Amino acid sequence: MLLSLSNLSMALLPKWFTGVLERFAPLFSARVWPQVQLLVVGALLSPGKRTVTAALRVLGLADDPRFGTFHRLLSRARWSSLQASRVLLNLLLKTFVPSGPLVLGLDDTIERRTGSKISAKGIYRDPVRSSHGHFVKASGLRWLSLMLLTPIPWAHRVWACPFLTALVPSQRYNEQRGRQHKTLTDWARQMLRVVQRWCPGRKLIVVADSAYAVIGWLSDLQQGQPITVITRLRLDAALYDPAPERAAGQMGRPRLKGDRLPTLASLIHDPETRWERVRLRRWYGETNREVEIVSQTAVWYHNGLPPLPLRWVLIHDPQGKFSTQALLCTDLLLSPVQILEYFVQRWQLEVTFEEVRAHLGVETQRQWSDLAIARTTPALLGLFSLVTLMAHERWQGHEPWVRHAAWYDKTLPTFVDALAEVRRALWKVPTFRTSAPARDMVQVPLDFIERLADALCYAAWRSSIAKVELSRMGESFVTHRPERRISLQR
């Protein structure tokens, strides 16, 4: 007799799945934990939107009258997202980075959401649609995500695995509630100090974009146990020599800086600048890329702010594909090549944001409760890391499965392949228990076929809609009913 998915238990789920998921069990009560398992499985199997109802529908629980309990899991149940982030980080470290420094990626993203009941939303610059000469505003929620940048053995490249994501409310939201507004760097400082407490004795190396090149913020992170930060540096930044040593008996306040140095912009065309050509193993979509660099230590100073000792690296492309740029690092002992190799990994954060939007349904959830909103998006981002861990358990000891095609010679697995591997194994749980394993013919229940057909058909429908919308053309198309035509206007 086939067991219903409403009675799904850890005994039915495969060991590679439960081995990852059971670490989170102590965070939930015994009454809530079965619902958590169901929602995780439903979120993994859902092909489209990641709403609670979509997860229940793909699990065959559309007629369950207790559907409200699954909504209350996000909006009312007592469990800590922060503790879940700590468990997830420990799993990632144990699997991929058991020792050595931790390379973390820090970046923010906008979840485009509208609606009067979403109180924490604001108007922000849309980084995806905007460019240097074109500014696009977007209404939504701003999320700050901290990701572990780690090499994945079977992918043969670095992935950015999210483990801690925080909602950064708008200034209007805080003013309406009489709260002091916390900037993006305030949230980033707090998150990094939390991770430092979670991982005592481990060196933290953080890569971020130019939004975090703030003297005060960088100086704060050097207090106590320092945190190394690598980010972009303005070419016109005010750089100085270190302050000279104070002479015996010298009067007056100690100097904070030495003589002013030439700007980095002036060094680009200076004939006396000695460029060193280096070869990087990994570049943006390339391997063994040659660039020219020059580096030196200096002090970055601005009136009213503490001086910041740093190492700057000026990067020039001999092929002329990108303009000369500058990086800064708060650790003076790191070599210029190490700094550049760390910073190149930052692009994986953008890849992860795109993957979770395309395959895990970020921006498709529809929670209105403040607590549910604060929990759902970090959970979907964390699902990226869970899929990575589960695929790693699946592919232990044998080659990963990669989807091939005659027009696409793909040799290494990507996140799509990892997610497909997890889904393929989960779909077998209710199906292959209906018949003896030695029989050639498997009797598949009609209920399972209907759920699978429903998921695939609606996925194809949504995909065709998205393609028409992205084309931005006002042409009409024909649905599965020839007599019905839908016209989409721009």
Side-chain angles (χ1 to χ4, degrees), residues 333-367:
L333 300 180
L334 282 180
S335 68
V337 176
Q338 287 177 315
I339 295 172
L340 191 52
E341 288 179 344
Y342 281 135
F343 186 78
V344 168
Q345 298 179 20
R346 198 198 72 82
W347 177 250
Q348 299 305 319
L349 277 72
E350 307 296 340
V351 175
T352 296
F353 283 141
E354 175 60 26
E355 297 282 18
V356 296
R357 282 187 171 92
H359 305 294
L360 294 180
V362 171
E363 293 186 347
T364 65
Q365 63 271 29
R366 288 297 175 264
Q367 286 78 14

Side-chain angles (χ1 to χ4, degrees), residues 225-237:
Q225 184 178 353
I227 298 177
T228 301
V229 181
I230 301 174
T231 182
R232 295 186 185 274
L233 179 64
R234 292 172 57 101
L235 294 176
D236 59 350

Side-chain angles (χ1 to χ4, degrees), residues 249-270:
Q250 182 177 351
M251 303 294 291
R253 294 181 298 177
R255 293 187 62 179
L256 300 177
K257 55 184 175 59
D259 297 333
R260 176 73 182 265
L261 296 174
T263 62
L264 300 181
S266 64
L267 296 179
I268 298 177
H269 305 290
D270 190 343

Side-chain angles (χ1 to χ4, degrees), residues 199-364:
C199 306
R202 302 288 294 268
K203 180 180 179 181
L204 301 186
I205 301 176
V206 182
V207 293
D209 60 13
S210 57
Y212 303 91
V214 181
I215 298 181
W217 181 72
L218 294 171
S219 299
D220 289 344
L221 294 182
Q222 307 315 306
Q223 306 302 318
Q225 184 178 353
I227 298 177
T228 301
V229 181
I230 301 174
T231 182
R232 295 186 185 274
L233 179 64
R234 292 172 57 101
L235 294 176
D236 59 350
L239 301 179
Y240 299 84
D241 281 326
E245 294 185 3
R246 189 176 178 84
Q250 182 177 351
M251 303 294 291
R253 294 181 298 177
R255 293 187 62 179
L256 300 177
K257 55 184 175 59
D259 297 333
R260 176 73 182 265
L261 296 174
T263 62
L264 300 181
S266 64
L267 296 179
I268 298 177
H269 305 290
D270 190 343
E272 297 185 0
T273 302
R274 297 183 178 180
W275 298 94
E276 178 186 359
R277 179 161 295 196
V278 297
R279 183 184 297 270
L280 300 176
R281 294 173 297 174
R282 294 186 180 93
W283 190 252
Y284 300 97
E286 303 179 37
T287 57
N288 297 324
R289 182 69 148 81
E290 285 190 348
V291 295
E292 294 178 341
I293 62 173
V294 61
S295 177
Q296 194 54 263
T297 59
V299 173
W300 190 16
Y301 180 76
H302 191 277
N303 290 334
L305 296 174
L308 177 69
L310 56 83
R311 172 175 289 279
W312 56 263
V313 181
L314 203 58
I315 311 165
H316 173 70
D317 183 18
Q319 301 179 14
K321 292 184 177 181
F322 64 88
S323 58
T324 304
Q325 303 174 17
L327 303 179
L328 73 84
C329 177
T330 58
D331 187 351
L332 306 183
L333 300 180
L334 282 180
S335 68
V337 176
Q338 287 177 315
I339 295 172
L340 191 52
E341 288 179 344
Y342 281 135
F343 186 78
V344 168
Q345 298 179 20
R346 198 198 72 82
W347 177 250
Q348 299 305 319
L349 277 72
E350 307 296 340
V351 175
T352 296
F353 283 141
E354 175 60 26
E355 297 282 18
V356 296
R357 282 187 171 92
H359 305 294
L360 294 180
V362 171
E363 293 186 347
T364 65

Side-chain angles (χ1 to χ4, degrees), residues 14-227:
K15 291 183 178 180
W16 58 266
F17 185 87
T18 58
V20 175
L21 209 59
E22 67 184 2
R23 307 296 179 88
F24 298 89
L27 305 180
F28 303 90
S29 65
R31 180 178 58 86
V32 169
W33 179 236
Q35 302 170 12
V36 176
Q37 301 171 58
L38 283 173
L39 277 185
V40 172
V41 176
L44 288 171
L45 296 181
S46 296
K49 294 182 178 180
R50 290 312 191 277
T51 59
V52 174
T53 54
L56 295 178
R57 189 180 297 276
V58 79
L59 292 173
L61 302 177
D63 297 327
D64 192 341
R66 299 168 298 175
F67 65 91
T69 60
F70 294 91
H71 289 275
R72 288 191 290 271
L73 174 63
L74 296 171
S75 61
R76 296 185 184 179
R78 306 180 87 178
W79 55 277
S80 173
S81 299
L82 187 62
Q83 292 303 317
S85 299
R86 184 175 187 177
V87 173
L88 181 57
L89 176 60
N90 289 334
L91 282 171
L92 291 171
L93 296 183
K94 182 179 179 180
T95 305
F96 300 116
V97 196
S99 61
L102 305 184
V103 184
L104 305 178
L106 180 68
D107 200 3
D108 59 287
T109 185
I110 304 300
E111 177 191 347
R112 289 176 283 272
R113 293 288 298 273
T114 57
S116 59
K117 294 186 178 181
I118 304 176
S119 55
K121 69 178 184 296
I123 304 297
Y124 306 101
R125 176 184 178 272
D126 192 330
V128 177
R129 301 173 181 174
S130 300
S131 62
H132 292 289
H134 184 61
F135 183 84
V136 178
K137 295 186 294 184
S139 172
L141 303 170
R142 170 178 280 184
W143 297 93
L144 181 60
S145 186
L146 200 56
M147 307 185 192
L148 179 66
L149 294 169
T150 175
I152 305 299
W154 36 268
H156 298 283
R157 66 181 181 89
V158 174
W159 283 19
C161 298
F163 65 90
L164 179 59
T165 303
L167 176 63
V168 182
S170 64
Q171 185 172 358
R172 175 186 57 83
Y173 175 86
N174 290 321
E175 290 176 351
Q176 291 177 351
R177 286 156 179 78
R179 301 175 183 174
Q180 183 178 2
H181 179 62
K182 293 171 61 175
T183 63
L184 205 60
T185 53
D186 293 333
W187 283 99
R189 181 192 304 108
Q190 185 176 356
M191 293 170 65
L192 290 173
R193 291 303 184 187
V194 167
V195 175
Q196 196 174 52
R197 290 196 299 268
W198 288 349
C199 306
R202 302 288 294 268
K203 180 180 179 181
L204 301 186
I205 301 176
V206 182
V207 293
D209 60 13
S210 57
Y212 303 91
V214 181
I215 298 181
W217 181 72
L218 294 171
S219 299
D220 289 344
L221 294 182
Q222 307 315 306
Q223 306 302 318
Q225 184 178 353
I227 298 177

